[in-house]
Amino acid sequence: MVELKTEQSIDKMRAAGRVVAHALAAVRDRAQVGVSLRELDAAAREVLRGAGASSPFLGYRPRFAPVPFPAVICASVNDAIVHGIPGDHVLRDGDLVSIDCGAKLGGWVGDAAVSFTVGRARPADLRLIATAEAALAAGIAAAVVGNRIGDIAHAVGTVGRAAGYGIPDGFGGHGIGRSMHEDPGVPNEGPPGRGMKLRAGMVLAIEPMLVAGGTDDYTCDPDGWTLRTVDGSRAAHAEHTVAITADGPRILTAL
């Protein structure tokens, strides 16, 4: 069931989304060669605490997970696609890092992700990240009243495939509101003109995930959470929480 949000509820989600944006900015500022992923998680926790927000990630346990998620960010490095657990891994020169973060404030949730490099960047990584961001922008542009979920999926997938990248099978965005994951699902690829019609008041997390090696397959680490590319190629992840309004898409997780 899809809950249509009022303008007042969307404003509250914007407040939660702003906390997410500040947390991601703090993590990116902290991410340097020699810094551990656990330290990045601590930087995000400090922002959430200071804003009076809680984490929808911490303690989250979907059906597939052997244990609850133990952190407030997902930190996925190099060949990790999504859901990386921030532990003792120390960032090295040239690492590609994807950070996913959420915040719950006043009963409403925001969710966003960003990818970046540490130290000297590989040109191929910068292209991968830029394409993920372009795919996200295309998906957001398609999130207008009267379009369908398939139009978002098609916009995202077209950008990713045109660049020769893989799109992990079965993973994509989702509705969001009082909970982090709500209906409807938002695929990262598919035919246009299909699926649920978009209405004012829907709020979606749109999140392209692209794989440099071109494959759609992935493996899962023994931790039961971290998804990796099967060929060791690098991955990038970009995400915003977006409200569909009569005036067009409104990004709720921007600074």
Side-chain angles (χ1 to χ4, degrees), residues 78-124:
N78 296 332
D79 64 331
I81 305 169
V82 288
H83 302 164
I85 296 175
D88 294 327
H89 174 87
V90 173
L91 294 174
R92 295 184 287 267
D93 188 44
D95 276 348
L96 192 167
V97 184
S98 296
I99 302 293
D100 194 354
C101 184
K104 188 167 189 177
L105 184 68
W108 296 94
V109 179
D111 183 13
V114 63
S115 293
F116 54 86
T117 57
V118 175
R120 292 169 293 183
R122 301 180 184 184

Side-chain angles (χ1 to χ4, degrees), residues 33 44 47 112 118 152 156-157 196 237-238:
V33 174
V47 172
V118 175
I152 298 175
V156 170
M196 183 178 294
H237 180 202

Side-chain angles (χ1 to χ4, degrees), residues 30-99:
R30 187 74 183 90
Q32 299 176 22
V33 174
V35 173
S36 73
L37 299 183
R38 198 181 304 278
E39 290 175 89
L40 301 187
D41 187 67
R45 287 176 188 253
E46 185 175 348
V47 172
L48 296 182
R49 189 180 307 113
S54 61
S55 169
F57 288 19
L58 184 63
Y60 179 62
R61 189 179 184 182
R63 288 191 300 273
F64 68 79
V67 295
F69 196 76
V72 305
I73 62 170
C74 296
S76 306
V77 180
N78 296 332
D79 64 331
I81 305 169
V82 288
H83 302 164
I85 296 175
D88 294 327
H89 174 87
V90 173
L91 294 174
R92 295 184 287 267
D93 188 44
D95 276 348
L96 192 167
V97 184
S98 296
I99 302 293

Side-chain angles (χ1 to χ4, degrees), residues 75-210:
S76 306
V77 180
N78 296 332
D79 64 331
I81 305 169
V82 288
H83 302 164
I85 296 175
D88 294 327
H89 174 87
V90 173
L91 294 174
R92 295 184 287 267
D93 188 44
D95 276 348
L96 192 167
V97 184
S98 296
I99 302 293
D100 194 354
C101 184
K104 188 167 189 177
L105 184 68
W108 296 94
V109 179
D111 183 13
V114 63
S115 293
F116 54 86
T117 57
V118 175
R120 292 169 293 183
R122 301 180 184 184
D125 288 345
L126 296 179
R127 178 174 175 266
L128 176 62
I129 292 168
T131 305
E133 292 172 346
L136 175 58
I140 292 171
V144 296
V145 173
N147 270 1
R148 293 183 179 271
I149 290 292
D151 295 310
I152 298 175
H154 181 70
V156 170
T158 296
V159 172
R161 293 297 187 190
Y165 296 132
I167 299 173
D169 186 42
F171 283 84
H174 48 88
I176 185 170
R178 299 178 190 275
S179 300
M180 181 166 59
H181 292 128
E182 298 183 353
D183 291 332
V186 186
N188 282 330
E189 190 172 32
R194 304 280 184 88
M196 183 178 294
K197 184 172 284 189
L198 304 181
R199 300 166 61 189
M202 292 176 68
V203 182
L204 307 174
I206 302 172
E207 50 178 322
M209 306 159 197
L210 302 181

